[in-house]
Amino acid sequence: MIVVSIVGILALIAYPSYMSSVRQSRRQGAINALNTVQLAQERYRATNPTYGSLSSLISTYGVANLSGTTPDGNYTLTITGPGGSGSPSATGYVATATAIAGTSQVSDTAGGASCASLSVSQDQPVDSNPVQALSIQHACWGR
């Protein structure tokens, strides 16, 4: 009985730490996918008058492991115009990886910031709240 209670206590301590590590690993997969999008966008923009949509990047370059979701299936990927609406333009785009509802990534946090949605523009990681952008960048992106 003592052994069972000791194992139970250890499990209560270890499980949250384990899940945090799993979420951080999955978040890195989303960051890698966004980096792939950034590289594909620059390649696309070099020969086109605007940045490309997700479907145009996939059809033009057949970007490996790039679709509407991250390779592990925990985030959806979208590309919009500057400011997060419309289509990509000649001046910019915003690529976003959003945690899929029902996955543990929805409750992913780092340094008190929610990492359930990660965005990147043609310049850098972005956040809807510019004041929080640097803290989000450092906490979620690990930069």
Side-chain angles (χ1 to χ4, degrees):
M1 190 57 130
I2 293 173
V3 171
V4 171
S5 48
I6 291 173
V7 169
I9 291 170
L10 289 175
L12 284 173
I13 294 169
Y15 185 73
S17 178
Y18 167 75
M19 286 308 297
S20 176
S21 295
V22 168
R23 286 186 195 108
Q24 185 176 6
S25 173
R26 291 176 181 165
R27 183 183 339 130
Q28 188 58 50
I31 290 170
N32 290 343
L34 290 172
N35 287 337
T36 299
V37 167
Q38 272 189 312
L39 292 172
Q41 283 288 28
E42 294 308 317
R43 185 174 173 196
Y44 186 88
R45 180 66 177 93
T47 58
N48 292 281
T50 65
Y51 286 101
S53 66
L54 189 58
S55 60
S56 63
L57 295 179
I58 294 168
S59 65
T60 303
Y61 300 113
V63 180
N65 296 326
L66 190 59
S67 66
T69 61
T70 55
D72 61 9
N74 287 295
Y75 290 85
T76 58
L77 295 173
T78 56
I79 298 176
T80 60
S85 62
S87 298
S89 69
T91 60
Y93 66 91
V94 175
T96 303
T98 305
I100 296 174
T103 66
S104 68
Q105 291 310 111
V106 172
S107 55
D108 184 22
T109 60
S114 173
C115 301
S117 180
L118 303 166
S119 295
V120 66
S121 70
Q122 69 282 357
D123 296 323
Q124 63 188 11
V126 296
D127 185 74
S128 59
N129 182 345
V131 174
Q132 292 180 342
L134 284 177
S135 66
I136 297 286
Q137 180 178 353
H138 290 294
C140 295
W141 291 78
R143 296 181 186 173

